[in-house]
């Protein structure tokens, strides 16, 4: 089942359950997917492209969450946390720290990285392997730890 099929199915269920928060988030994700497919001139997007859109939406929410926390807007913090919770149900299962560390170590050996100068090569090789399964800042931190 594609992401769009799953979103349509969940949207119908949210309408039946009168779950306005889920419905709003699902519609927003569907709109992002449709906008991206129009932009790329495709009828349907690949799984990888869907994952990119979902990851972008999650990142935007996390950035907003931090801003709202800094501003002391608890009402908006709760709303964004709920949206993140709903979005995370559509992402693949996240990698554990150990799994992520082992992927990074393998990649460092693959690209023969020896110092922080090679960080770009390592990040470029790691990101496609863990797309949607780990947060970019978390990956960056772990790569830096391994290259020290």
């Amino acid at each position: 089942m594609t992401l769009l099929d799953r979103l349509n199915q969940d949207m119908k269920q949210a309408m039946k359950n009168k779950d306005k928060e889920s419905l709003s988030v699902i519609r927003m994700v569907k709109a992002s997917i449709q906008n991206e497919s129009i932009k790329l001139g495709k009828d349907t997007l690949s799984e990888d492209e869907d994952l990119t859109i979902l990851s972008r939406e999650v990142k935007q929410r996390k950035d907003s969450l931090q801003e709202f926390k800094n501003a002391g807007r608890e009402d908006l913090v709760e709303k964004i946390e709920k949206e993140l919770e709903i979005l995370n149900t559509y992402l693949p299962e996240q990698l554990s720290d150990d799994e992520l560390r082992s992927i990074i170590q393998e990649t460092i050996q693959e690209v023969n990285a020896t110092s922080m100068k090679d960080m770009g090569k390592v990040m470029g090789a790691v990101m496609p392997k863990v797309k949607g399964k780990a947060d970019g800042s978390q990956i960056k931190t772990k790569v830096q730890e391994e290259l020290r």
Side-chain angles (χ1 to χ4, degrees):
M1 179 185 311
T2 67
L3 177 63
L4 204 51
D5 293 338
R6 189 169 160 215
L7 286 169
N8 285 327
Q9 188 177 7
D10 290 351
M11 188 169 84
K12 289 175 190 172
Q13 194 59 46
M15 284 181 193
K16 287 179 186 175
N17 296 342
K18 297 188 183 347
D19 182 356
K20 290 181 181 178
E21 289 174 334
S22 294
L23 187 58
S24 169
V25 172
I26 292 168
R27 283 181 172 154
M28 175 268 315
V29 172
K30 280 186 63 176
S32 293
I33 290 172
Q34 289 170 336
N35 287 339
E36 191 72 16
S37 67
I38 291 168
K39 185 173 124 185
L40 297 174
K42 297 180 176 180
D43 288 336
T44 58
L45 298 177
S46 69
E47 221 175 290
D48 197 41
E49 291 166 326
D50 286 342
L51 198 55
T52 301
I53 294 166
L54 266 178
S55 297
R56 183 177 26 198
E57 294 295 332
V58 168
K59 184 179 184 321
Q60 286 174 353
R61 298 292 175 304
K62 286 182 178 177
D63 292 346
S64 297
L65 184 65
Q66 193 57 49
E67 292 297 319
F68 293 145
K69 282 182 178 177
N70 292 343
R73 295 289 311 264
E74 286 305 312
D75 55 327
L76 295 174
V77 167
E78 288 177 28
K79 180 181 183 283
I80 296 293
E81 284 175 342
K82 189 75 172 160
E83 287 181 9
L84 276 169
E85 193 177 299
I86 295 166
L87 283 171
N88 283 330
T89 62
Y90 297 101
L91 286 173
E93 189 175 327
Q94 300 295 295
L95 294 171
S96 70
D97 281 349
D98 293 336
E99 291 170 323
L100 182 58
R101 190 170 302 283
S102 93
I103 290 170
I104 290 170
Q105 288 168 346
E106 286 173 23
T107 306
I108 287 173
Q109 290 175 350
E110 285 173 16
V111 298
N112 297 321
T114 55
S115 69
M116 287 297 284
K117 290 179 185 174
D118 300 319
M119 182 154 173
K121 276 198 283 187
V122 175
M123 289 294 290
V126 168
M127 291 307 283
K129 294 179 183 180
V130 297
K131 188 172 198 114
K133 297 179 185 176
D135 183 54
S137 60
Q138 179 188 18
I139 297 166
K140 179 184 172 196
T141 304
K142 297 241 184 292
V143 168
Q144 287 173 336
E145 288 171 7
E146 292 295 322
L147 288 177
R148 283 192 187 132

